Amino acid sequence: MLLGMNENLMETAEPTTPSDDEIDRRLVARFVAGDESALDEIVLTHQRRVTHLVHRLLGWPDGVEDIVQEVFVAVLSNLHRFRSESRFSTWLTRIAVNKCRSHQRRQLLWRRIRPRLVDRYRAVNGDAQNADSTDCHDIVREAVQTLPIKFREPIVLRYFEQLSVTEIADVLGLSPGAVEVRLSRARQRLKDKLGRHFGRE
């Protein structure tokens, strides 16, 4: 009787689906063990999200693919150092944010070195990013891109990447309280910018 009940339970039990985090950990373990094909699977799994993150943080379509490549090169170089204390996706996001910061520093330096050339180029060709748009999504996106990087990062991670405040704190190396402050100030800046755009006080 009991044997029959056990057999029925085994037949009706559904297999447990591993979480995304567990799948990532298994891929990392395979790579560390010498299975280089695991890296291809990691790239396929996360490339689209990383590309979107880089594009949203920088707001510049040119060079996004190069930065994404830099991110995964860094992953390849440091994958053996990954520890399971945090989620792999959080660790990967931290690398992407750091690469974006480095890219911005290079851009700022370039602008300081050649300001006159940049101004002449814009005078001749115009600045397409400042063109008026009736699409609300574009308006909000452009407003986010005007934020200083310290405010843009938490906004993108919170509302575009759907990370929790705790995860954002881990990625940016801040306390949760500091993240909350930056989010609050960023939201206020966006409110001011969008209010002016739509003619509201």
Side-chain angles (χ1 to χ4, degrees):
M1 181 70 177
L2 290 175
L3 180 60
M5 292 177 61
N6 289 336
E7 289 177 349
N8 290 335
L9 287 174
M10 291 177 63
E11 291 176 358
T12 58
E14 297 182 357
T16 303
T17 302
S19 65
D20 291 341
D21 190 47
E22 179 59 30
I23 293 173
D24 287 336
R25 293 177 189 276
R26 292 177 183 177
L27 289 173
V28 171
R30 281 173 47 195
F31 179 81
V32 172
D35 183 359
E36 295 186 358
S37 67
L39 181 64
D40 295 334
E41 295 185 44
I42 290 173
V43 173
L44 288 174
T45 300
H46 294 280
Q47 185 175 24
R48 184 172 182 177
R49 184 179 70 84
V50 170
T51 301
H52 287 171
L53 173 60
V54 170
H55 192 282
R56 287 163 177 165
L57 283 176
L58 297 179
W60 300 319
D62 295 336
V64 168
E65 291 183 1
D66 292 338
I67 299 169
V68 171
Q69 289 179 7
E70 289 182 20
V71 170
F72 285 107
V73 167
V75 169
L76 172 62
S77 301
N78 296 281
L79 199 54
H80 63 284
R81 300 177 184 173
F82 173 71
R83 298 294 178 265
S84 58
E85 287 83 1
S86 63
R87 295 172 58 191
F88 176 81
S89 59
T90 301
W91 180 77
L92 176 59
T93 300
R94 188 185 303 117
I95 291 176
V97 168
N98 288 336
K99 290 298 179 183
C100 288
R101 287 175 174 176
S102 297
H103 179 78
Q104 279 208 315
R105 286 193 292 269
R106 293 195 298 268
Q107 289 290 321
L108 289 173
L109 179 60
W110 180 254
R111 289 178 180 178
R112 289 172 182 171
I113 293 173
R114 305 185 67 182
R116 292 183 180 179
L117 183 59
V118 172
D119 289 341
R120 289 177 182 175
Y121 178 86
R122 288 178 175 173
V124 173
N125 296 279
D127 191 352
Q129 289 186 347
N130 292 329
D132 292 333
S133 173
T134 57
D135 184 17
C136 290
H137 176 78
D138 288 342
I139 292 170
V140 173
R141 178 179 56 78
E142 290 174 5
V144 169
Q145 299 309 324
T146 66
L147 292 174
I149 189 64
K150 70 176 183 178
F151 295 136
R152 190 190 316 158
E153 288 174 349
I155 285 289
V156 168
L157 295 176
R158 182 73 183 93
Y159 296 105
F160 290 91
E161 297 300 317
Q162 301 295 311
L163 268 63
S164 69
V165 169
T166 301
E167 289 173 324
I168 295 171
D170 189 13
V171 168
L172 299 181
L174 300 170
S175 68
V179 171
E180 292 282 11
V181 169
R182 291 192 183 188
L183 282 171
S184 177
R185 292 178 179 175
R187 284 193 293 263
Q188 184 58 51
R189 291 194 179 208
L190 286 174
K191 181 180 178 181
D192 294 342
K193 289 178 183 295
L194 294 174
R196 289 196 300 269
H197 183 89
F198 290 108
R200 294 193 297 270
E201 297 296 331

